[in-house]
Amino acid sequence: MKFQDNTFIVTGGASGLGEATVRELHGAGARVVIADLNAERGEALASELNENGSGERAAFQRTDVTREDDAQAAVDLAVSHFGGLQGLINCAGIGDPAKVLGRQGPQPLATFSRVVQINLIGTFNMIRLATAAMAEGEPQADGERGVIVNTASVAAYDGQIGQAGYAASKGGIVSMTLPVARELARHGIRVMTIAPGLFMTPLMETLPEEVQQSLAESIPFPHRLGRPDEFARLACQIVDNAMMNGETIRLDGALRMAPR
Ligand SMILES: NC(=O)c1ccc[n+]([C@@H]2O[C@H](COP(=O)([O-])OP(=O)(O)OC[C@H]3O[C@@H](n4cnc5c(N)ncnc54)[C@H](O)[C@@H]3O)[C@@H](O)[C@H]2O)c1
């Protein structure tokens, strides 16, 4: 899928991996809808990109990915403002560590539900509505109408203690990648997932220096945290390479997380 004249929604696009992906897509010539809860950061990013003199190719839509009306509004903005939708990059997500049985007793069910609701159900909500708009588009090279890139985590495979909900939500994303890719093939829509290891995002920057250091040391090579632009470049390589479909790619410097 080419970037020029095509439109991509990036959920979670106001921060971290999503923000880097917005910048990479925009830099490659794409139109981008930033769909995020954080209006202040999302609007500022859209304005910054639009001010750089290459026409108005960025827009912000305040979106809670778990809400049907919000997700539809982001898709509608892509169609009404930019004339169609060809890509969806799902980056919105939260991590909410909690033990099954903690000091205060059993984990509140609402904690588990919330992380699954945002990470897994939010991702599916965006996929189902974006797909409807993509399927309406004109086929491009190879008959391609759209591409979807989801964000899981290495926790889908080696989740740590306290990550039951997070690992389940990300495992769900990995598991639905192939069946959704198989179904959407007839519309010319590809579906891929990236499972990142440890990346330096605002979330990580809040941790003390020594914790960041010890996390970095657990990564075999390169011996450092990933940079958001490295995630963004893989997302764009997936967009660019039509043979990538129905698979999850670990992006983790060979990290295999320990139990704790
Ligand atoms: N940073 C890492 O090391 C790492 C590792 C593995 C996986 N991931 C995954 O990558 C994704 C991005 O993480 P990040 O580190 O960039 O985090 P981040 O906190 O910097 O960015 C996440 C963005 O998602 C938005 N968001 C949260 N809930 C939302 C909702 N309901 N609707 C819409 N937007 C919502 C936030 O406002 C924020 O802008 C997440 O899915 C995370 O689980 C991150």
Side-chain angles (χ1 to χ4, degrees):
M1 174 69 64
K2 67 187 174 71
F3 299 96
Q4 206 92 26
D5 301 324
N6 280 333
T7 303
F8 298 78
I9 293 176
V10 183
T11 75
S15 175
L17 305 184
E19 177 184 341
T21 305
V22 166
R23 292 181 184 281
E24 191 78 19
L25 284 165
H26 187 269
R31 300 162 177 154
V32 190
V33 172
I34 302 160
D36 200 296
L37 275 178
N38 190 330
E40 198 184 325
R41 286 184 64 125
E43 274 164 7
L45 178 58
S47 311
E48 181 201 317
L49 295 174
N50 286 332
E51 276 162 16
N52 77 4
S54 59
E56 203 199 304
R57 291 189 286 110
F60 172 75
Q61 177 70 39
R62 191 193 174 280
T63 310
D64 179 342
V65 293
T66 68
R67 291 182 56 106
E68 300 191 34
D69 51 352
D70 276 17
Q72 188 63 61
V75 171
D76 289 348
L77 180 72
V79 174
S80 66
H81 204 65
F82 294 128
L85 180 65
Q86 288 76 31
L88 167 66
I89 319 293
N90 276 310
C91 291
I94 59 159
D96 200 359
K99 287 188 175 170
V100 179
L101 184 56
R103 287 210 183 94
Q104 316 289 329
Q107 180 179 142
L109 195 52
T111 306
F112 188 93
S113 298
R114 181 166 171 267
V115 73
V116 171
Q117 187 72 27
I118 295 173
N119 293 358
L120 177 57
I121 299 177
T123 295
F124 182 74
N125 189 33
M126 291 302 307
I127 288 175
R128 73 190 181 92
L129 297 171
T131 293
M134 288 175 187
E136 295 288 307
E138 287 298 314
Q140 300 184 14
D142 287 327
E144 194 174 17
R145 287 194 177 83
V147 55
I148 297 169
V149 182
N150 302 311
T151 308
S153 162
V154 293
Y157 306 99
D158 30 83
Q160 299 186 293
I161 290 168
Q163 288 191 317
Y166 185 72
S169 71
K170 297 301 191 179
I173 294 172
V174 171
S175 294
M176 76 179 170
T177 302
L178 182 61
V180 179
R182 285 173 159 168
E183 178 187 333
L184 301 188
R186 71 186 186 91
H187 299 289
I189 299 170
R190 293 184 291 122
V191 186
M192 287 288 291
T193 294
I194 301 172
L198 297 169
F199 278 69
M200 183 55 103
T201 62
L203 190 102
M204 202 65 85
E205 283 161 18
T206 61
L207 297 176
E209 186 73 37
E210 60 272 20
V211 176
Q212 290 181 22
Q213 195 72 37
S214 91
L215 287 172
E217 272 162 20
S218 67
I219 303 170
F221 187 83
H223 217 39
R224 60 168 172 80
L225 298 174
R227 294 190 304 260
D229 70 283
E230 293 170 323
F231 172 94
R233 278 189 279 135
L234 178 57
C236 286
Q237 281 151 4
I238 290 170
V239 167
D240 184 53
N241 191 328
M243 278 309 285
M244 288 205 222
N245 196 10
E247 184 56 283
T248 298
I249 301 174
R250 287 182 73 126
L251 186 67
D252 63 6
L255 169 70
R256 299 295 178 269
M257 290 197 299
R260 64 178 83 236

